[in-house]
Amino acid sequence: MSILSVTGAKGGVGCTAVVAGLAGAWSRQKKAVLAFDLCRQNLLRLHFGLDWHERDGWHARLVAGRDWSGAAWRTPDGLSFVPHGSLRDGAAAEVLNNPHWLAGELASLALPSDCRLLLDTPQAGRERAQALAAATHVLVVLPPEPLSCGLIEPLEAELSAHGVAQERLLYVLNRFDPTRQLDRDVELLLREMLATRLAPLPVHRDEAVREALAMQQQLADYAAHSQACDDFNQLATWLSIRLNGGAKGR
């Protein structure tokens, strides 16, 4: 079973949209998928059509002393996801003090051996530590900005401290605009730095991603022939090859 933690080189680079796009692409490729929201903003659910006012989620249930697994949802096309849930300020489940809690819980689930687990991973906190301890691989979402080149070294040092080996650390460029010279220059620099660990194609900036979210629809349902939808299909295929090449635990 492959567990992919999706995190950003910095905040606001579109990690949640990447998780939703990948989940949808793998589901259309007839792969079993479970998307798990570890971010307190609790936004992944909106990409799968959950009502804005729905507050239930795995963390909210744990704080309330209930079984977290009851917070799981399934879309009509069979994609499973677990929202984070809404919490009071400062609230946190005590089980998260054990950094391997999530890894143990995921291992106990009766999931197909070829299931893809996607973890929407925050920038800090105990939920981040849980995701990195559980993941077989990490996908870092990079913006097409010069700053990305300077963020890689400290990020890799942090992830190495969490036990993430370099060969299990992959990258994708998101919100790429090929009409911008700087975007193209940054891509070339990143390809020199990261070589085959950078996805062969970036995910392009595409208004269909924001429009689908505004309509609370999956991207493929809203704009099946959009550039971004094709990009996520290509990214899912590349990741499948990389995950299958090293899906054993660390």
Side-chain angles (χ1 to χ4, degrees):
M1 182 170 64
S2 299
I3 304 175
L4 183 66
S5 165
V6 181
T7 188
K10 65 184 185 73
V13 298
C15 287
T16 299
V18 169
V19 170
L22 276 174
W26 270 327
S27 180
R28 292 188 299 277
Q29 293 173 7
K30 307 304 180 184
K31 305 292 186 184
V33 181
L34 174 61
F36 207 107
D37 190 355
L38 290 161
C39 299
R40 292 194 169 214
Q41 291 88 348
N42 194 31
L43 298 178
L44 181 61
R45 62 197 170 94
L46 300 179
H47 289 269
F48 301 126
L50 211 57
D51 188 87
W52 176 262
H53 300 289
E54 176 62 61
R55 301 177 62 85
D56 193 19
W58 69 269
H59 202 166
R61 285 190 171 228
L62 286 177
V63 169
R66 301 163 62 197
D67 177 13
W68 72 266
S69 64
W73 292 74
R74 186 183 295 272
T75 65
D77 57 357
L79 190 159
S80 299
F81 69 98
V82 183
H84 183 280
S86 300
L87 299 176
R88 302 185 308 275
D89 290 344
E94 291 185 5
V95 294
L96 297 188
N97 291 329
N98 171 8
H100 299 286
W101 172 83
L102 180 63
E105 293 295 304
L106 295 179
S108 70
L109 297 177
L111 297 172
S113 60
D114 63 346
C115 183
R116 268 75 166 145
L117 270 72
L118 283 159
L119 308 179
D120 190 4
T121 304
Q123 290 294 298
R126 282 180 284 184
E127 287 98 333
R128 180 175 179 81
Q130 292 287 335
L132 296 179
T136 60
H137 295 76
V138 174
L139 178 67
V140 177
V141 180
L142 296 167
E145 302 169 5
L147 183 63
S148 290
C149 300
L151 290 172
I152 289 171
E153 184 176 348
L155 177 65
E156 292 203 348
E158 181 222 345
L159 295 177
S160 177
H162 281 279
V164 181
Q166 190 178 79
E167 63 269 18
R168 297 183 179 277
L169 182 53
L170 306 170
Y171 293 84
V172 64
L173 199 58
N174 190 37
R175 297 174 180 166
F176 178 79
D177 186 344
T179 67
R180 294 180 177 179
Q181 181 65 50
L182 187 56
D183 285 26
R184 300 197 301 272
D185 291 344
V186 168
E187 183 186 19
L188 288 174
L189 286 171
L190 290 171
R191 294 208 179 279
E192 290 183 5
M193 295 176 66
L194 300 170
T196 59
R197 293 192 294 139
L198 179 64
L201 296 172
V203 177
H204 291 77
R205 182 179 294 274
D206 189 338
E207 282 298 293
V209 175
R210 296 200 305 166
E211 292 168 3
L213 177 58
M215 298 297 292
Q216 290 188 272
Q217 295 182 28
Q218 292 185 57
L219 178 61
D221 294 333
Y222 178 78
H225 302 292
S226 63
Q227 177 67 64
C229 191
D230 184 63
D231 291 341
F232 283 124
N233 288 335
Q234 298 287 344
L235 179 61
T237 299
W238 176 74
L239 283 169
S240 289
I241 295 170
R242 298 303 298 256
L243 298 182
N244 290 340
K248 295 179 181 179
R250 291 194 298 270

